[in-house]
Amino acid sequence: MVTSNRCYFPLPTEHWRNRWVQSTNDSRFGHFRLSSGKFYGHKEKDKGLQTTQNGRFYAISARFKPFSNKGKTLVIQYTVKHEQKMDCGGGYIKVFPADVDQKNLNGKSQYYIMFGPDICGFDIKKVHVILHFKNQYHENKKLIRCKVDGFTHLYTLILRPDLSYDVKIDGQSIESGSIEYDWNLTSLRKETSSAESNDWEQTKDNKAQDWEKHFLDASASKQSDWNGELDGDWPAPMLQKPPYQDGLKPEGIDRDIWLHQKMKNTNYLTQYDLSEFDNIGAIGLELWQVRSGTIFDNFLITDDEEYADNFGKATWGETKGPEREMDAIQAKEEMKKAREEEEEELLSGKMNGREHYFNRFHRRNEL
């Protein structure tokens, strides 16, 4: 933890296990290793947590000094690389409260925020943005597309005190708006409407009681010896029993106007602190993967958008180009090797000319 609520989780060291705790909730959970993958921009800087076993659930987390983002912007950022060309599995992270049980971390562990890509087949290729409030999980109702290639990508989520948000991929904003409008909050609106109605009934009852106790006698006249300058405003006498009975409402109280004004003045959603979390204390990976090989790196939590932007440029921004260059070189070398092997088989009679032609055509299309 550094100043201004900035939490960074450096990984290029063999001592990463001292900070990251593997869950022992299930003996079948998959294991992580530290790796920069088969291709990379920098062998050491690009090392991250890589999933290693196919068809497994994974659960690992790192703790930090708890803090609250009340009244401050919250930025969550990390890089993810689906080197195996993900077919079905998660690439998202979760932010947990400080009291999370790391040794028993599992799918039922409460989290504050779930953010990042999720891919499965042709249908699911999205970025999850799930927030926890009012004891429920609420997901952004917009379809936010994720990256599906095998390169490293930078994912950033920004939550601001004014309830605005921004989702960035590779430093570019791909979705933004208001939490109030872009999350499914129907249940909260129903609860609020019910609560406001109860407030109305209570207010109406109180008004009725006040009405019965303090009814102005409009027919009374000011005393002849009353001196306004010396005695102040003349208090007109009040009647004890007003003409308010048989189910009639006190005059001057309109329910619809009262509810509208109350909701307008109080902003019904701010009371739920939709972007505020009091006890942020851990970050982790809790997900499922059919094919392993994903690498997670450059985890950052901060309240400074500019700092996060500069951090992304100094990490992912420095190695993204060289990573693609290395991948391209390896692809050409693999093609060359495959071609040479085919030619040898053709000369030795193990492959006929038709098969050789088909393979060359297929490789040319891949390039």
Side-chain angles (χ1 to χ4, degrees), residues 282-299:
I283 190 170
L285 305 168
E286 190 285 308
L287 43 83
W288 160 268
Q289 289 194 343
V290 173
R291 277 200 299 165
S292 63
T294 300
I295 299 176
F296 301 86
D297 196 10
N298 299 312
F299 301 91

Side-chain angles (χ1 to χ4, degrees), residues 335 356-367:
M335 289 289 182
H356 178 60
Y357 175 79
F358 175 80
N359 290 338
R360 289 189 63 184
F361 178 79
H362 182 66
R363 284 198 301 271
R364 188 181 303 113
N365 286 339
E366 286 184 344
L367 292 173

